[in-house]
Every structure is written in structure tokens, then in C-alpha cells.
Amino acid sequence: MSPKNRITKNNDGTLNVPDHPVIPYIEGDGIGPDIWNATRLVIDQSVKASFGREKSIQWLELYVGEKGFLKTGEYLSDKSLQTIQDHVVAIKGPLTTPVGKGFRSLNVAIRQKLDLYACVRPVRYIEPVPSPMKHPEKINMVVFRENTEDLYAGIEWQSGTDEAEKVISFLKDKMGVTIPEHAGIGIKPISEKNTKRLVTSAIQYAMEHHLPSVTLMHKGNIMKFTEGAFNLWGYEVAKEKFGEKTITESELYDQYHGKVPMGKIVIKDRIADMLFQQVLLRPEEFSVIATPNLNGDYISDALAAQVGGLGMAPGANIGDTCACFEATHGTAPKYAGLDKVNPSSLILSGAMMLEYMGWEDASERIRKALQDTVRSGIVTYDLARQIIGAKEVKCSEFAAAIAERL
Ligand code: NAP
């Protein structure tokens, strides 16, 4: 495939997207093939509806996961990773974590090896999906979760191992810290460089999408030098890089009487536990949330539940050189091959991908058609069991119904 059909990235982060780009995809394990086929149909139809013959996507399959192991003997090859890097944008279905094969998780391995440091999860309500909230339509947030460090970096040692005992002795002898006997040990690194690049991408996103605020979510009242430092570095980078475009919440009240000046983004922070309350009680006050890994894991699933669950939640892992768009749920093995599950999470991730490429018309078309389909009562089993009077259809039929409405 000629390199002229590759997406490339400029130094300022903007993309050059040819009219017929090659985009690598990973079908995924379990329900992956079902939701991928549904997604591919919807993306292709939407691009066609928006641009006719002027633009199209040339899909390039990467053999990763169980299919990769069967075809190549490897679950995740360096060649696949290099291909994603070379093509800048990729999309993937869910992958099973092979037990005892040297991976903590293939998904985590992809994020870490490609340095996809921002996990971006938009959360928006799709009517009439049942939600535990009285006003789920007030939720319109995007979580930027740091992907490469914090407790999720995986630096930990099992209780009773030589390594754990060595760390415990070091802490006791050299640092004067007492740890309970035979404790398991985990390390929580949070760095200035990784915090600042995450918060930078969150503020840039808010600017590009004309969003009113970026909230730094942290637990800095207790963990001052990790979570607290995340908060400080977040404010620092907002001032250093976006001083003209941002104001802090205290400046908003001290200098502007609580009225946001035109074109400014408010940078605020919330302690993690308080933010969990506030997104339930006053969701309209929050827009972009930037946070370390573990907080981000919790808040993004909690917010997805507030709008009706993970089945509809899209996501992307984005770094400086490339981005990988993916469903946020797993492989749901009991439904594999049954053409039954809800493909919305991967379809909406595809819509995010088109928006990232600058093909906004095709992206918006998908969101609208999916919303129209669900609103007309055509849904997969998971929603049919919750919406009275809805018509249950198969995964492929749901995709066809969306395609008809594009
Ligand atoms: P899961 O695959 O997300 O499935 C859990 C349950 O969620 C399903 O049984 C189903 O619930 C519901 N569900 C998931 N996807 C759905 C969809 N598209 N439509 C409708 N319902 C859906 O979680 P898991 O069983 O814990 O994990 C299975 C495997 O996936 C593991 O190997 C795990 O490592 C992997 N995983 C991969 C990723 C990823 O690739 N990013 C993420 C998470 C997990 P009901 O049975 O109630 O209908």
C-alpha cells in the first residue's frame, strides 16, 4: 500500500488526511467480529453519505489477539504495533487477556508500547436509554485519563516475595517507614512530564470543541506528592501554555464576578470523592475532566453508568504519534458469534475517529443516525430488556437500521 495513502502528523499535532486513507483495524476476540462488522458497515456508509466517491477508507486488518496467535503464533507482534504507529490512526475491538502468556493485558500493552498516554472517554446521553439519573441529558463530559503511570503502571510485588521483602526492608532501614509484615507492595509514580502532556491535551480538546471548563480531579488532600502534584502541575501547564485562554476558578470569582469572559476556559479542581457527588448532583457544571489513571478508571465507568451503561460508551487512546479508537467493554465471550450484542460502543468510537480525522460531517451523521435508531425503538437485547415496547434486533440488523438512517 503506497505511503501516499497514509495519514501523517505535523509537529503541531495536526493531521494530514488523504482522501482515501489506509486505516489499520483489529477485529478483536469474542464478540469482536460481530461488533466490528457492524461498525465497518456504518462507518463506510456514513463516509459515502457525506463525501460520495471523494473520500473512502481503505481498511487494513492487523492480526492481534487470538486471531493473531492462530495466524502468526503471536498475540501482539512488533509489526502490528509498528503498522499502527506508521498509519497514525487505528481502531480495535476488545481483546481477551491471554492468561499466563507474559501479558498483564494486551490492551494495556498496546497503550504502553505506543505511549498512548491519554484515554479519552466522552460521556453523553442517548435518548431513551434507561438511566438511573432524573436528568441524564445534563451529562455531557469528556474524561481525559492518564494511561501510562499511577498504580496502573503495574509496579507491584506479591506479599511474601523476595522483592516485596526487599522493598519493605529498604523503607524501614533507609526511610524510617514501618510497613505491616509481609504486605503486598504497589508503587504509585506520577510525573510532571506525563501530567503536563495529559492536561495539555485536555485543554487543547476543550479549546477545539469550545467547551467551558477543564476540571483537575485528584486526591491531593491525602496523597500530596502524587495526586497533589498532579493538581499543581495541571494549573502550572494551564498558565504556561494557555495563559491567554484560561482563567482559574478563583480568578473567575475574584476578578470577573463569576461571569466567564468570552473565549476563556475555566480551570478548576475537585477532590475525587467530592467530584463523584457533584457529577450526580450538578452534572451541568462539568465538561472536560483530566485525572490520573486510577481516578479516571472509576469516574469514566461511573459516568457511563449515569447515562445507561458501558454498552454505549466510546473511547480512544491517544498519544503524540498515534491514536487507537476502541470499544470500552470487553469480549463478552458468552455472546461470541451469536450476532446479538450491542455494537454502539465501537460504532461511536468510529464516530470519534472520524471527528479526530477532521471528517466531522460523517462523524455527526453516525451519532444522529444511532440516536434516531434507538429513539425509534430498534435496539439490541441489552436495551430491549430495559425499554418497554422496544423491538429487539440482532447486532447486524441494528447496524443495518443505523445505515438506513445515514
Ligand atoms: P465484558 O466482556 O465487558 O462483559 C461483561 C458483560 O457486559 C457481558 O456479559 C454483558 O452483560 C455486558 N456487555 C459487554 N459488552 C456488551 C455489548 N457490546 N453489548 C451488550 N452487552 C455487553 O467483561 P468481562 O466478561 O469481565 O471480560 C471478558 C474479557 O474481555 C476478559 O478477557 C477481559 O480481559 C477482556 N476485556 C477487554 C477489554 C478491552 O479490550 N478494552 C476491556 C475489558 C475487558 P450481560 O451478560 O448482562 O448481558
Side-chain angles (χ1 to χ4, degrees):
M1 209 77 78
S2 108
K4 83 175 164 40
N5 284 324
R6 285 185 189 173
I7 297 174
T8 55
K9 203 161 187 179
N10 303 313
N11 288 339
D12 65 359
T14 54
L15 300 186
N16 307 306
V17 180
D19 286 339
H20 304 282
V22 176
I23 297 190
Y25 70 93
I26 298 166
E27 194 176 64
D29 301 325
I31 55 172
D34 283 350
I35 60 173
W36 168 248
N37 287 331
T39 300
R40 181 176 175 158
L41 171 84
V42 171
I43 294 178
D44 284 343
Q45 290 284 355
S46 183
V47 170
K48 199 168 164 195
S50 289
F51 307 114
R53 287 195 185 164
E54 223 175 85
K55 293 184 197 288
S56 67
I57 292 172
Q58 305 183 62
W59 298 107
L60 172 65
E61 179 161 17
L62 301 181
Y63 298 120
V64 175
E66 285 162 0
K67 197 168 179 181
F69 189 72
L70 279 177
K71 291 214 176 244
T72 68
E74 283 186 277
Y75 283 99
L76 174 62
S77 65
D78 288 344
K79 193 173 158 218
S80 299
L81 290 168
Q82 189 60 48
T83 306
I84 295 176
Q85 186 114 39
D86 290 345
H87 290 81
V88 179
V89 169
I91 184 164
K92 68 175 274 294
L95 292 168
T96 307
T97 297
V99 179
K101 299 283 190 324
F103 290 102
R104 284 171 68 82
S105 146
L106 287 178
N107 304 296
V108 174
I110 292 173
R111 288 171 208 163
Q112 291 190 341
K113 291 191 174 176
L114 294 173
D115 197 22
L116 304 175
Y117 58 82
C119 175
V120 183
R121 297 262 297 264
V123 190
R124 230 198 271 177
Y125 179 60
I126 294 182
E127 204 196 331
V129 174
S131 147
M133 300 285 288
K134 279 192 185 139
H135 291 289
E137 72 287 351
K138 288 186 179 172
I139 297 168
N140 187 2
M141 296 180 214
V142 185
V143 178
F144 275 70
R145 166 190 174 197
E146 210 290 329
N147 247 346
T148 63
E149 55 184 18
D150 195 3
L151 289 172
Y152 262 57
I155 310 168
E156 56 173 359
W157 297 280
Q158 194 178 358
S159 147
T161 56
D162 277 358
E163 292 87 348
E165 295 307 318
K166 262 190 214 158
V167 177
I168 292 173
S169 303
F170 170 78
L171 290 173
K172 189 171 163 213
D173 301 344
K174 306 279 184 204
M175 313 293 279
V177 175
T178 311
I179 307 265
E181 209 185 345
H182 304 316
I185 298 287
I187 303 275
K188 179 183 174 75
I190 290 193
S191 68
E192 178 175 351
K193 173 177 159 264
N194 290 341
T195 298
K196 286 190 168 175
R197 66 181 184 172
L198 177 88
V199 177
T200 296
S201 56
I203 297 175
Q204 262 161 355
Y205 183 95
M207 279 165 41
E208 281 159 19
H209 293 80
H210 309 289
L211 299 173
S213 68
V214 174
T215 303
L216 304 166
M217 175 194 189
H218 62 92
K219 194 70 186 148
N221 52 333
I222 305 295
M223 292 172 277
K224 296 185 193 306
F225 306 123
T226 50
E227 299 264 333
F230 177 93
N231 186 38
L232 284 178
W233 290 324
Y235 277 114
E236 246 173 54
V237 79
K239 205 164 202 77
E240 285 160 9
K241 285 198 177 168
F242 308 98
E244 296 290 302
K245 295 273 175 200
T246 59
I247 53 168
T248 62
E249 202 171 29
S250 37
E251 286 166 351
L252 173 65
Y253 291 101
D254 294 349
Q255 296 171 25
Y256 300 98
H257 312 290
K259 276 210 148 177
V260 183
M262 272 273 277
K264 298 270 190 189
I265 294 166
V266 180
I267 309 293
K268 45 190 173 180
D269 74 279
R270 293 289 183 276
I271 304 282
D273 36 331
M274 183 167 51
L275 188 61
F276 273 98
Q277 294 182 48
Q278 294 190 345
V279 294
L280 283 169
L281 299 171
R282 306 202 296 275
E284 64 279 14
E285 290 181 12
F286 300 96
S287 176
V288 176
I289 295 172
T291 187
N293 200 319
L294 189 60
N295 299 333
D297 191 28
Y298 299 150
I299 194 82
S300 43
D301 279 17
L303 286 173
Q306 284 180 227
V307 294
L310 277 182
M312 312 289 284
N317 294 294
I318 303 178
D320 285 335
T321 57
C322 57
C324 191
F325 294 78
E326 68 172 350
T328 51
H329 54 73
T331 58
K334 68 181 175 188
Y335 297 118
L338 299 184
D339 191 15
K340 184 174 172 77
V341 293
N342 186 348
S344 297
S345 174
L346 194 57
I347 290 175
L348 290 169
S349 302
M352 270 179 91
M353 181 186 84
L354 293 171
E355 185 187 330
Y356 184 77
M357 289 161 55
W359 293 8
E360 281 92 355
D361 189 82
S363 164
E364 204 38 53
R365 217 177 261 275
I366 292 179
R367 288 198 190 94
K368 195 174 167 306
L370 192 145
Q371 163 95 66
D372 289 349
T373 307
V374 176
R375 206 179 264 153
S376 71
I378 299 174
V379 291
T380 45
Y381 84 98
D382 51 319
L383 297 182
R385 65 190 173 188
Q386 301 178 68
I387 303 174
I388 297 163
K391 178 178 176 219
E392 180 180 332
V393 295
K394 293 177 177 176
C395 175
S396 56
E397 291 167 343
F398 181 66
I402 297 172
E404 259 173 38
R405 290 164 173 77
L406 288 166

